[in-house]
Amino acid sequence: MSIADNLSSIKAGLPSKVTLVAVSKTKPVSELMEAYEAGQRLFGENKIQEMAEKHDAMPKDIEWHMIGHVQTNKVKYMASFVNLVHGVDSFKLLEEINKQAKKNNRVIDCLLQVHIAEEETKFGLDEPELETLLASESLKSLQNICIKGLMGMATFTENESQIRKEFSFLKSLFDKYSKFQILNSKFSILSMGMSGDYKTAIECGSTMVRIGSSIFGGR
Ligand SMILES: *Cc1c(COP(=O)(O)O)cnc(C)c1O
């Protein structure tokens, strides 16, 4: 199957309200261009440097999403062009994104990453930390960021019911906190689901799936 075939068969199975992020990390520009020529305009990368290089090399009507863990000192390399930062998990990082967005005269959309998996290694906030962050007065001073919703990764397991439980938990947080007015926006994006688990994620309420290997092949 070609990249174009993979894309069209995945898209055929997605509800219209679910957005597809094509996760192109580690893949060469030539392969991203195959996806571009098949109509894909939204790409996700997990390294800022790599995303910036691809952004420079590729057409300018692409939306770039940073899906990986973000180091504060690298925010400046993506602040002029990034469309959505999925993995925000600290106030300090929000402050830096706000600062760099301001320098570029932009508002940068962000998702807060919540830790829902069993693995210790996955980044993200737990519920009390999420609550504290969203309730903090100092958040109001960050005029150049917009918190659009939540992102999470389920445990890497074959156990469907475990995955379902984790995604449902994230959806319940999304519903709970979307009732609050946060800065100038309300939650509209729930980013959950990868190649192995996106169908379950959609059943649990995902509005944005991040799919890599099922489009571009293994890494
Ligand atoms: C790599 C990655 C994906 C895509 O994973 P696949 O299993 O290749 O679909 C999704 N989300 C994040 C955060 C990733 O790092």
Side-chain angles (χ1 to χ4, degrees):
M1 290 265 275
S2 69
I3 288 169
D5 289 341
N6 292 339
L7 267 172
S8 65
S9 76
I10 290 167
K11 278 193 196 154
L14 293 184
S16 58
K17 61 181 189 323
V18 176
T19 305
L20 171 63
V21 180
V23 176
S24 47
K25 61 191 186 195
T26 77
K27 299 295 177 181
V29 166
S30 60
E31 292 185 21
L32 277 70
M33 281 308 296
E34 276 185 61
Y36 181 86
E37 266 140 32
Q40 183 65 25
R41 292 293 181 274
L42 222 163
F43 292 87
E45 291 281 334
N46 73 338
K47 293 208 168 70
I48 292 175
Q49 193 95 22
E50 186 177 335
M51 182 172 74
E53 283 166 14
K54 288 172 174 172
H55 166 262
D56 285 346
M58 292 183 65
K60 295 298 170 273
D61 60 344
I62 292 173
E63 257 192 50
W64 292 98
H65 289 202
M66 174 42 55
I67 63 167
H69 185 70
V70 176
Q71 285 172 270
T72 315
N73 61 348
K74 300 220 170 115
V75 173
K76 55 180 177 283
Y77 302 119
M78 65 176 176
S80 66
F81 70 90
V82 70
N83 293 96
L84 183 64
V85 184
H86 290 235
V88 179
D89 64 359
S90 73
F91 187 77
K92 188 169 145 256
L93 182 54
L94 275 178
E95 278 183 311
E96 177 63 15
I97 296 170
N98 184 69
K99 180 176 149 194
Q100 298 299 334
K102 197 168 189 171
K103 277 191 189 164
N104 286 275
N105 224 342
R106 314 179 54 215
V107 172
I108 296 181
D109 290 342
C110 298
L111 302 178
L112 298 176
Q113 183 170 357
V114 182
H115 181 101
I116 54 170
E118 272 182 347
E119 293 115 350
E120 285 292 325
T121 51
K122 286 182 180 152
F123 296 102
L125 305 157
D126 61 20
E127 187 183 359
E129 289 168 338
L130 177 67
E131 166 116 36
T132 305
L133 200 160
L134 289 174
S136 93
E137 274 301 308
S138 24
L139 195 59
K140 299 201 175 85
S141 65
L142 308 183
Q143 297 290 329
N144 291 74
I145 53 141
C146 184
I147 299 175
K148 290 278 186 184
L150 303 177
M151 178 268 206
M153 290 167 85
T155 304
F156 189 70
T157 173
E158 297 282 297
N159 183 347
E160 248 260 9
S161 71
Q162 166 93 25
I163 294 172
R164 193 172 288 278
K165 195 180 81 188
E166 293 170 359
F167 283 150
S168 300
F169 173 63
L170 188 56
K171 166 70 168 152
S172 73
L173 294 181
F174 178 79
D175 289 340
K176 179 172 172 189
Y177 293 105
S178 54
K179 294 200 180 73
F180 295 80
Q181 182 79 26
I182 300 142
L183 293 175
N184 44 2
S185 75
K186 283 202 162 147
F187 281 5
S188 57
I189 302 173
L190 180 55
S191 167
M192 59 184 196
M194 319 184 3
S195 292
D197 58 19
Y198 75 90
K199 290 181 180 148
T200 306
I202 291 169
E203 285 168 17
C204 295
S206 171
T207 71
M208 187 173 273
V209 291
R210 310 175 309 268
I211 301 181
S213 46
S214 293
I215 298 172
F216 297 101
R219 289 177 297 268

